[in-house]
Amino acid sequence: MKYINSVTLFLLSVIFSFTSCEMKNELSGSLTPNESKEKGSLKLELSSAQEWGETKAESVDINEFPVEIRSVSTNEIVFSYETYSAMKEESPIQLSPGEYIVKAYKGTYLEASREPYYEGTTNFSIATGKRTEVKTVCKLKYFKVDFNLTSDFLSTFKDDYSITVTNGAGVIIFNKDEQTPAYFKVGADAKSFNITVKVTNKETNLNIQKSYVINKSEDIDNGFIASGDFFNITLDKVLGGGTPGVDTETGITIGVTVDLTMNETGEVIEIPVDNINGGNSGGGDEGGGDQPGSAPVITMVQNTYNLKLSDTTSPTVQVSISAPNGIKNLIVEIGSDNAGFMGTLAGFGLADPFDIANPGNLLPILSNSLESGGGIGLIDANDPILGKTSYLFDVTSFMSLLKLYGVSQNTFKITVSDGTNPQVKDTLYVNVIN
């Protein structure tokens, strides 16, 4: 019995000693016997900050986030895992001594997207014979925009409405078929973003188009938009009185209110009306004065479209133009490798570049509809472009004309001038394919 007790006590002491060593290593950051003494190791704890307004069911699964570890000295990726879950199976990760940065993310980081993008990064050091424990929080890198349409808005305006949102680099368009929230990259020192709303009054069939600059309040983060900010915009029908952008027969226009949900606290704050700079994007605005530096910006959802001849519908094709000093010239040059199409343009007098901000004798051709046979319907004769601070160049209806001529490669070269800054140019490509 004494012999058995002695053996038992001996075994217990060995187990206790080994366990104590393990606990000591965990507490001190030292490696366990299973880890290389010539290296150090990383133990990563990953978490995500949930979007405000998300439900638990909508929240992201942190275990699905890809993870990469990069050497600071060489900028090379030394470990990469398709998921955090896969990384945990190999944890702790053994690394040579040095400086590293770990990055976990979910999604694709674009200027504008319908999908959120989360990212978390942490710099850390690895020392020989030591374990480094790192905690990284993945946060939404975008600011978020969504719209609510009141029952008055929906009962007053047709369902052909379009809402264009831009941060100056990316564009997202909302309509009856596309109502998923939009996400935008936060620009350097960004304090605002632009929206353009285009509607048709059901009663009068008249178009109303208004543009707004949404500014964050100066008393919040010094007015700078932050990653995670959520702008919830409500559009309503209001009586416009004498303001620009009003249906002249009914006095009806578009009303806008904005609630901002703070990225850190979840507090909801209504943006003051003074921070919503709205006006008629169809003239009337005097612009921001001739201030050099406020250069025009041309923004496209995408710059290349492929139209299939077999498709019965055409995509929405729009170009957003911002010119804080007011548009002085908006020159369009249409080119095509299809001789028949170019012959038609020549017949309309549009084979050479033309200025839609100063259409002159071309106004009937540019404004009459394709259905009437008297024009191409690129602009609205009752909505002058000259002097606008923003304009949505919509060529969607033009797509059906291109398809009539069969397979072709077409370009729309756009040049914007505000009379103060250098001209800004961009090209829209439209290919008609089988």
Side-chain angles (χ1 to χ4, degrees):
M1 183 70 67
K2 281 186 178 182
Y3 174 75
I4 294 174
N5 286 338
S6 297
V7 171
T8 302
L9 289 172
F10 174 74
L11 290 174
L12 287 174
S13 66
V14 170
I15 293 170
F16 178 76
S17 175
F18 180 77
T19 304
S20 299
C21 182
E22 287 283 339
M23 293 178 63
K24 183 178 180 182
N25 286 332
E26 288 286 341
L27 294 172
S28 67
S30 300
L31 302 180
T32 66
N34 294 327
E35 297 173 82
S36 171
K37 292 181 172 59
E38 297 177 357
K39 295 185 176 183
S41 69
L42 166 68
K43 185 176 181 181
L44 176 66
E45 180 181 328
L46 198 60
S47 62
S48 67
Q50 183 172 311
E51 284 184 58
W52 293 108
E54 268 187 329
T55 65
K56 186 175 181 180
E58 294 172 326
S59 60
V60 295
D61 183 357
I62 199 69
N63 289 304
E64 296 179 355
F65 281 38
V67 181
E68 61 184 39
I69 302 169
R70 188 182 297 270
S71 168
V72 172
S73 60
T74 65
N75 201 35
E76 294 181 353
I77 297 176
V78 295
F79 280 99
S80 180
Y81 298 90
E82 291 187 358
T83 64
Y84 175 51
S85 180
M87 181 185 184
K88 287 191 293 185
E89 292 179 2
E90 297 185 14
S91 183
I93 310 303
Q94 296 191 54
L95 294 163
S96 298
E99 301 294 322
Y100 297 88
I101 182 169
V102 61
K103 172 183 172 182
Y105 61 95
K106 182 67 172 179
T108 304
Y109 198 31
L110 306 171
E111 289 292 346
S113 177
R114 292 284 187 183
E115 300 292 334
Y117 175 78
Y118 295 89
E119 183 182 300
T121 60
T122 306
N123 287 75
F124 65 95
S125 300
I126 291 292
T128 302
K130 298 292 184 180
R131 177 186 298 173
T132 300
E133 297 187 358
V134 173
K135 294 183 179 180
T136 299
V137 180
C138 295
K139 297 182 179 181
L140 183 68
K141 291 281 285 184
Y142 291 129
F143 71 89
K144 180 180 178 181
V145 178
D146 200 6
F147 287 89
N148 297 314
L149 308 180
T150 68
S151 57
D152 279 346
F153 180 97
L154 294 172
S155 63
T156 302
F157 303 118
K158 294 183 178 181
D159 64 3
D160 62 353
Y161 63 85
S162 68
I163 307 162
T164 303
V165 187
T166 178
N167 60 350
V171 176
I172 294 288
I173 297 174
F174 290 78
N175 53 42
K176 67 174 182 177
D177 299 318
E178 292 287 353
Q179 299 189 17
T180 307
Y183 298 88
F184 296 88
K185 189 179 289 188
V186 180
D189 299 327
K191 291 189 173 184
S192 64
F193 61 96
N194 298 335
I195 69 170
T196 298
V197 185
K198 186 177 181 180
V199 298
T200 305
N201 191 332
K202 288 182 179 179
E203 180 182 348
T204 64
N205 210 37
L206 293 177
N207 294 327
I208 302 172
Q209 182 170 309
K210 297 192 72 174
S211 293
Y212 304 85
V213 180
I214 310 298
N215 296 276
K216 192 171 178 178
S217 302
E218 285 291 334
D219 57 351
I220 305 172
D221 299 327
N222 294 318
F224 295 107
I225 295 177
S227 297
D229 282 349
F230 174 25
F231 295 86
N232 196 16
I233 302 172
T234 299
L235 300 182
D236 199 359
K237 174 212 76 174
V238 297
L239 292 176
T243 62
V246 175
D247 184 326
T248 53
E249 293 187 20
T250 63
I252 289 174
T253 189
I254 306 161
V256 175
T257 56
V258 183
D259 288 334
L260 167 64
T261 302
M262 302 297 294
N263 65 315
E264 293 295 339
T265 64
E267 180 183 2
V268 179
I269 299 173
E270 183 174 348
I271 298 286
V273 175
D274 291 343
N275 287 67
I276 305 172
N277 300 327
N280 177 15
S281 65
D285 285 348
E286 294 297 325
D290 294 334
Q291 299 294 328
S294 302
V297 176
I298 300 173
T299 308
M300 304 179 187
V301 177
Q302 60 191 69
N303 67 353
T304 301
Y305 290 83
N306 293 314
L307 310 180
K308 289 187 177 181
L309 289 172
S310 58
D311 288 346
T312 57
T313 59
S314 298
T316 299
V317 182
Q318 297 175 324
V319 178
S320 178
I321 297 164
S322 173
N325 292 321
I327 297 173
K328 300 297 188 295
N329 304 96
L330 206 172
I331 299 170
V332 179
E333 180 180 359
I334 304 175
S336 178
D337 63 356
N338 188 295
F341 175 62
M342 289 305 296
T344 299
L345 287 181
F348 280 127
L350 302 176
D352 296 321
F354 51 91
D355 188 350
I356 62 175
N358 303 278
N361 295 332
L362 290 175
L363 180 60
I365 298 296
L366 293 171
S367 60
N368 289 336
S369 68
L370 286 166
E371 291 78 8
S372 71
I376 60 173
L378 275 182
I379 66 174
D380 184 350
N382 299 314
D383 187 17
I385 299 170
L386 185 67
K388 290 175 183 260
T389 56
S390 62
Y391 178 63
L392 188 64
F393 184 36
D394 192 336
V395 294
T396 302
S397 61
F398 205 71
M399 299 301 103
S400 59
L401 176 62
L402 289 174
K403 292 169 70 173
L404 294 177
Y405 292 88
V407 174
S408 61
Q409 293 181 335
N410 311 278
T411 58
F412 293 77
K413 296 181 179 179
I414 301 169
T415 304
V416 182
S417 173
D418 63 2
T420 303
N421 293 283
Q423 293 180 337
V424 176
K425 301 180 180 183
D426 207 343
T427 302
L428 174 68
Y429 300 88
V430 181
N431 303 313
V432 181
I433 60 178
N434 285 315

